[in-house]
Amino acid sequence: MKLSYVIKRVLYSLFVFAVVITLNFFIPRIGVDDPAERYYPPQGNMSEIEYEIVKQLTREQYGFHVSTWQQYLNYLKGLARGDLGTSFRPGSPKVLDLIAERLPWTLVLSVSTMLIGVVVGVGFGVVAAVKRGRWQDTLLLNASTVMVALPAFFIALILSFYLGFEWEIFPAYTDSTMVSQFAWTWEGISRVARNAALPVMSMMVGSIISYAQGTRNAVIAVTNEDFVLTARAKGLKTSTIRFKHILRNSLLPIVTSLGMSISGLIGGQVVIEQVFNWNGMGTLFLEANNTNDYPLMMGIMLLLSGFTIFAILITDLVYVLLDPRVTVGDKR
């Protein structure tokens, strides 16, 4: 891998992140004349002059008393110190603290879903490609067709109704005390696993089929390449051809899917979290949006954007390691 390529990709990622920071600050303020208006107390018996004083104090409290550009500069200074700001919630908690409280619970769902999807999906995709035209392949193709018209939230509702309410195999809603009373004990871990079962099952169906479909198509495409035919002509073992030549050269589409999955790890599944009352990043963002909590919204969006840009950068670099022929903007 050329050092110049790595430097270009890193610089490009930093540029995109700088643009994201700017958009992240200004977009929530578009069309809003007075961002502090939501936090003004009722006027009651106060005179207009007294109420204007209260409004000015409120603006100063939330940092809206200076110009928008000055707010932007203050925002950049805070980011340089690693400070995402202070939430408008009662008690004025730090945005970073709120995110740190919810992020692990989103990772419980997203990482579990991704690992199951990769292991089962890639395995099933290889089997479907090897057994092309047989029932395994037909099952995958039919399942892919169904999943196009079957969103994850619908699967979540079905699982919640039958496995949660009807048969009571798993909790239909997340235990509200799970987070506050969590402890690193076998009982605590099993409690989390039991509550996470339905959300993970709702998301992993689509994840498995996505990885399986991508793997199947990639393996079939590589199987017809000349170097595979040459390996067969040399009399190499079938297992050697499949794993060393076919699967290894089928990794690029899998890496693409994996990179997309990693970029969405901390975003959470907003609808899934709402269905099962799971207190993750998706739920936190909805709460911030419903209360016009600008610092919290910006902090969440900045974290999601930064993680996505980082995941894309790593995917690009891994691409070059797997296939040196892949270049962007460089001469071969």
Side-chain angles (χ1 to χ4, degrees):
M1 184 188 301
K2 292 183 179 180
L3 181 60
S4 60
Y5 176 79
V6 176
I7 294 175
K8 283 183 179 181
R9 299 309 301 171
V10 171
L11 291 177
Y12 178 74
S13 299
L14 291 175
F15 169 75
V16 173
F17 189 55
V19 173
V20 167
I21 289 175
T22 303
L23 294 177
N24 187 46
F25 178 84
F26 285 103
I27 286 179
R29 289 166 167 75
I30 294 177
V32 180
D33 295 329
D34 187 359
E37 184 177 1
R38 183 183 182 90
Y39 304 98
Y40 294 154
Q43 183 172 359
N45 296 325
M46 290 184 287
S47 64
E48 288 297 330
I49 297 178
E50 292 174 335
Y51 193 50
E52 282 299 325
I53 295 175
V54 171
K55 290 165 65 174
Q56 180 60 26
L57 292 175
T58 303
R59 295 190 194 98
E60 293 178 4
Q61 178 183 354
Y62 293 109
F64 294 126
H65 62 295
V66 295
S67 66
T68 302
W69 286 106
Q70 185 60 50
Q71 293 177 42
Y72 178 60
L73 293 177
N74 294 339
Y75 177 61
L76 294 180
K77 292 177 183 178
L79 291 181
R81 299 192 303 268
D83 184 10
L84 296 180
T86 303
S87 171
F88 293 165
R89 292 186 172 195
S92 301
K94 288 289 185 180
V95 169
L96 201 57
D97 293 338
L98 292 174
I99 293 176
E101 180 183 339
R102 298 289 189 93
L103 181 57
W105 300 105
T106 285
L107 292 177
V108 168
L109 299 184
S110 55
V111 172
S112 302
T113 301
M114 185 184 71
L115 291 178
I116 295 173
V118 171
V119 174
V120 179
V122 171
F124 189 56
V126 172
V127 172
V130 173
K131 305 290 185 180
R132 187 179 182 184
R134 301 182 186 179
W135 69 267
Q136 296 94 334
D137 189 28
T138 303
L139 176 63
L140 176 58
L141 293 177
N142 291 336
S144 301
T145 303
V146 172
M147 284 304 301
V148 171
L150 200 63
F153 78 87
F154 183 76
I155 298 176
L157 292 174
I158 296 297
L159 292 178
S160 177
F161 180 77
Y162 285 103
L163 299 184
F165 292 109
E166 286 291 318
W167 301 332
E168 298 182 351
I169 299 177
F170 298 107
Y173 292 107
T174 305
D175 188 349
S176 58
T177 62
M178 181 186 68
V179 175
S180 59
Q181 298 180 4
F182 175 74
W184 286 102
T185 61
W186 175 251
E187 181 181 356
I189 295 174
S190 61
R191 185 182 183 188
V192 172
R194 181 173 170 78
N195 280 273
L198 290 184
V200 170
M201 289 167 60
S202 303
M203 296 186 292
M204 77 178 187
V205 175
S207 179
I208 289 173
I209 293 177
S210 175
Y211 279 108
Q213 185 68 40
T215 303
R216 172 195 177 274
N217 295 338
V219 170
I220 290 176
V222 173
T223 301
N224 298 322
E225 294 286 344
D226 292 338
F227 66 86
V228 176
L229 299 177
T230 302
R232 286 173 177 164
K234 289 181 177 180
L236 297 180
K237 294 181 179 180
T238 303
S239 59
T240 302
I241 295 175
R242 287 178 180 174
F243 290 99
K244 186 176 180 180
H245 295 280
I246 296 179
L247 186 58
R248 181 180 179 182
N249 288 278
S250 304
L251 288 177
L252 287 182
I254 300 174
V255 169
T256 301
S257 299
L258 187 60
M260 294 175 63
S261 298
I262 293 176
S263 65
L265 278 180
I266 62 176
Q269 295 286 338
V270 177
V271 177
I272 299 298
E273 290 182 5
Q274 287 292 298
V275 170
F276 295 104
N277 194 33
W278 186 273
N279 289 322
M281 292 290 291
T283 305
L284 182 63
F285 182 77
L286 281 182
E287 294 172 359
N289 182 68
N290 292 336
T291 58
N292 286 346
D293 194 337
Y294 292 104
L296 184 54
M297 281 193 293
M298 291 190 298
I300 295 173
M301 291 304 299
L302 185 65
L303 183 65
L304 299 184
S305 303
F307 197 78
T308 300
I309 293 171
F310 178 75
I312 293 174
L313 173 62
I314 297 300
T315 302
D316 287 342
L317 298 182
V318 172
Y319 252 53
V320 178
L321 290 176
L322 293 175
D323 187 354
R325 297 173 300 174
V326 176
T327 56
V328 178
D330 283 342
K331 295 181 180 180
R332 296 188 178 185

